[in-house]
């Protein structure tokens, strides 16, 4: 019996039931991937059914955790937090990082399946590149939790845990407008705001990451009215997602594109007021390029407003020093906790709690999702939100490196 036929029905009912049934098959049934459930509940109208086993569901199961890269602190933190949480709950964890290299990630996942993983938690590099791995997982009855980035074009994605990616984009757009004096932090227009025109430039994330479009759309929905009325001008004319995307979220590629923009569009001395950046690594590349032509070095000294995302320690230091304007804090501890909860729920035959069952269509199906909230960080709330929550210590903020 395979959940991937789409015919299996979980007798407990509710959202996420296919995932739950898959896990029951893969894990609680014992014997690793593809093992059958021990007991069947009554069939309903010709649909296959599986039963939930009670007891120590999940105990001793193996969870494969595939993370994209170690070049960004957030993914190291994510990987470690998920591993710790799952181990604390009695699972054995196979944690792998893929150096942002697609073949490395596909091999790692293939290996996890071969080694008998009972559940997979995957943060993909390219959301469309894992089809054969997901087909294999589906065939073996191994449930897949898509972690932070939605895996696309495959039915064997059982649950999605992330932050509200569209609202991340809205928060980035709002932070940019706030830095330019156009809105309050909550997005309320400022009464005597500058009329402009002020020049801005736009950066987006990696086009193969489903999140990048959500971030860009959220940000553009927020700032487009100011472009339409002429207060903001994208002087390069590069406003389409494909023109502003940054493959693999690369800091170096972002620095290079910013340098090119400065020499092609701003060499005549026109002022650049702000840059929309979707990720702290990209922000640091942009800032290096801006400082490289003598802007700043701080915002007070004329550095353009640059947004960000992830509250990476190197960027928190820059924000604290009035160099980067903002970042979006996605508390990876909460994401990891939620993922552990989802794995446990599935293991125990409980439907994971979803708070979004509409927005994350992966091209084949709408994946039930749990989306967490985010907080915009400026210099003056680092103390409360970042240090106060224990995410980074004051010492780390000062040093700009994690201890
Ligand atoms: C996205 C993620 C962001 C950021 C980016 C670059 O998928 O949602 O928070 O980490 O990747 O790593």
């Amino acid at each position: 019996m395979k959940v991937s036929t789409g015919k299996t029905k979980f007798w407990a009912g509710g959202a996420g039931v296919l995932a739950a049934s898959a896990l029951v098959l893969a894990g609680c049934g014992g014997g690793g991937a593809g093992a059958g459930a021990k007991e069947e509940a009554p069939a309903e109208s010709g649909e296959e059914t599986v039963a939930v086993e009670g007891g120590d569901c999940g105990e001793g199961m193996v969870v494969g955790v595939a993370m994209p890269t170690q070049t960004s602190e957030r993914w190291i933190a994510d990987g470690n937090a998920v591993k710790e949480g799952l181990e604390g709950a009695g699972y054995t964890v196979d944690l792998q990082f893929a150096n942002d290299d697609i073949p490395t990630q596909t091999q790692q996942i293939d290996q996890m399946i071969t080694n008998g993983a009972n559940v997979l938690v995957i943060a993909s590099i390219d959301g469309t590149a894992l089809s054969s791995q997901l087909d294999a997982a589906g065939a073996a009855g191994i449930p897949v939790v898509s972690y932070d980035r939605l895996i696309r074009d495959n039915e064997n994605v059982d649950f999605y845990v992330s932050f509200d990616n569209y609202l991340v984009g809205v928060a980035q757009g709002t932070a940019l407008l706030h830095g330019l004096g156009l809105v309050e932090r909550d997005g309320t227009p400022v009464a005597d705001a500058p009329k402009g025109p002020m020049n801005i430039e736009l950066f987006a994330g990696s086009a193969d990451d489903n999140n990048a479009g959500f971030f860009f759309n959220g940000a553009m929905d927020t700032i487009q009215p100011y472009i339409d009325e002429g207060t903001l001008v994208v002087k390069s004319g590069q406003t389409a997602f494909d023109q502003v995307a940054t493959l693999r979220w690369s800091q170096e590629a972002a620095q290079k594109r910013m340098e090119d923009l400065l020499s092609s569009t701003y060499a005549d001395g026109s002022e650049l007021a702000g840059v929309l950046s979707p990720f702290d690594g990209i922000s640091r590349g942009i800032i290096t390029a801006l400082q490289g032509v003598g802007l700043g070095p701080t915002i007070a000294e004329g550095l353009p407003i640059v947004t960000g995302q992830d509250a990476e320690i190197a960027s928190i230091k820059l924000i604290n020093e009035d160099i980067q304007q903002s970042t979006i804090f996605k508390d990876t501890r909460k994401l990891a906790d939620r993922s552990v909860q989802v794995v446990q729920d599935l293991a125990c035959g409980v439907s994971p709690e979803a708070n979004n069952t509409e927005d994350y269509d992966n091209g084949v199906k709408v994946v039930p999702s749990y989306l967490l909230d985010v907080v915009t960080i400026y210099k003056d709330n680092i103390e409360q939100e970042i240090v106060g929550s224990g995410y980074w210590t004051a010492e780390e903020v000062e040093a700009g490196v994690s201890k």
Side-chain angles (χ1 to χ4, degrees):
M1 180 165 45
K2 301 229 174 16
V3 271
S4 55
T5 62
K7 279 199 265 163
T8 305
K9 187 163 195 294
F10 194 70
W11 58 266
V17 293
L18 293 182
S21 60
L23 187 64
V24 169
L25 288 171
C28 293
K38 288 183 180 160
E39 190 189 325
E40 299 241 330
E44 278 175 38
S45 60
E47 290 167 313
E48 293 177 78
T49 55
V50 292
V52 183
E53 286 188 46
D56 57 346
C57 38
E59 196 81 24
M61 285 171 46
V62 179
V63 184
V65 179
M67 290 286 152
T69 182
Q70 279 174 303
T71 57
S72 154
E73 283 144 5
R74 78 147 287 189
W75 296 113
I76 301 172
D78 282 276
N80 291 339
V82 172
K83 184 169 161 41
E84 271 172 36
L86 286 170
E87 285 176 348
Y91 299 86
T92 300
V93 177
D94 178 4
L95 169 63
Q96 301 291 336
F97 294 90
N99 302 321
D100 260 340
D101 181 56
I102 297 166
T104 303
Q105 185 163 62
T106 55
Q107 278 162 22
Q108 287 173 341
I109 298 169
D110 283 338
Q111 197 66 46
M112 289 171 185
I113 295 171
T114 307
N115 290 348
N118 302 103
V119 192
L120 295 172
V121 176
I122 302 173
S124 57
I125 296 167
D126 178 333
T128 64
L130 298 177
S131 268
S132 81
Q133 285 64 41
L134 262 62
D135 286 347
I142 303 169
V144 174
V145 179
S146 195
Y147 185 92
D148 195 64
R149 299 173 172 175
L150 186 65
I151 303 172
R152 293 193 52 84
D153 303 337
N154 196 289
E155 66 184 315
N156 299 315
V157 183
D158 297 290
F159 202 84
Y160 179 48
V161 284
S162 189
F163 295 87
D164 191 322
N165 295 302
Y166 179 82
L167 289 184
V168 169
V170 171
Q172 290 169 336
T174 303
L176 179 64
L177 296 178
H178 178 61
L180 299 175
L182 298 171
V183 302
E184 307 292 349
R185 289 186 181 182
D186 66 1
T188 313
V190 168
D192 52 353
K195 297 277 173 281
M198 291 183 275
N199 295 321
I200 59 167
E201 294 297 336
L202 311 172
F203 282 70
S206 196
D208 55 9
D209 181 344
N210 194 62
N211 289 353
F214 277 85
F215 301 150
F216 191 64
N217 290 340
M220 289 310 285
D221 286 352
T222 308
I223 66 180
Q224 189 68 46
Y226 292 86
I227 296 174
D228 293 343
E229 72 183 20
T231 305
L232 299 180
V233 175
V234 181
K235 189 159 190 290
S236 68
Q238 297 180 17
T239 54
F241 177 77
D242 287 345
Q243 291 176 300
V244 305
T246 313
L247 185 64
R248 299 283 116 75
W249 305 87
S250 159
Q251 177 167 341
E252 293 71 28
Q255 181 179 336
K256 170 83 174 54
R257 178 164 172 261
M258 190 71 244
E259 286 167 352
D260 290 349
L261 287 169
L262 287 166
S263 56
S264 64
T265 310
Y266 295 90
D268 63 359
S270 354
E271 194 180 322
L272 174 63
V275 184
L276 175 74
S277 167
F279 162 58
D280 286 344
I282 291 177
S283 313
R284 295 195 296 276
I286 292 167
I287 288 168
T288 302
L290 296 173
Q291 292 180 333
V293 296
L295 295 171
T298 63
I299 297 171
E301 294 165 303
L303 191 71
I305 299 297
V306 180
T307 61
Q309 175 173 207
D310 281 352
E312 293 200 333
I313 189 60
S315 282
I316 291 292
K317 175 179 163 67
L318 294 181
I319 294 169
N320 201 38
E321 293 174 348
D322 189 44
I323 294 171
Q324 185 173 321
Q325 179 239 11
S326 60
T327 189
I328 309 302
F329 176 33
K330 298 162 74 167
D331 193 331
T332 52
R333 298 168 300 188
K334 292 185 182 162
L335 187 61
D337 285 353
R338 178 57 56 172
S339 307
V340 171
Q341 183 63 57
V342 166
V343 169
Q344 282 185 299
D345 285 347
L346 295 172
C348 295
V350 176
S351 301
E353 181 189 351
N355 62 6
N356 188 302
T357 51
E358 284 177 10
D359 292 333
Y360 287 91
D361 186 332
N362 79 345
V364 175
K365 70 178 198 183
V366 176
V367 181
S369 310
Y370 195 95
L371 307 177
L372 295 159
D373 292 335
V374 297
V375 178
T376 306
I377 301 298
Y378 299 98
K379 181 176 164 65
D380 65 12
N381 64 352
I382 290 176
E383 179 63 35
Q384 184 187 325
E385 300 289 348
I386 300 290
V387 178
S389 72
Y391 199 72
W392 300 120
T393 64
E395 203 189 346
E396 288 170 321
V397 174
E398 182 70 26
V401 286
S402 58
K403 297 268 184 263

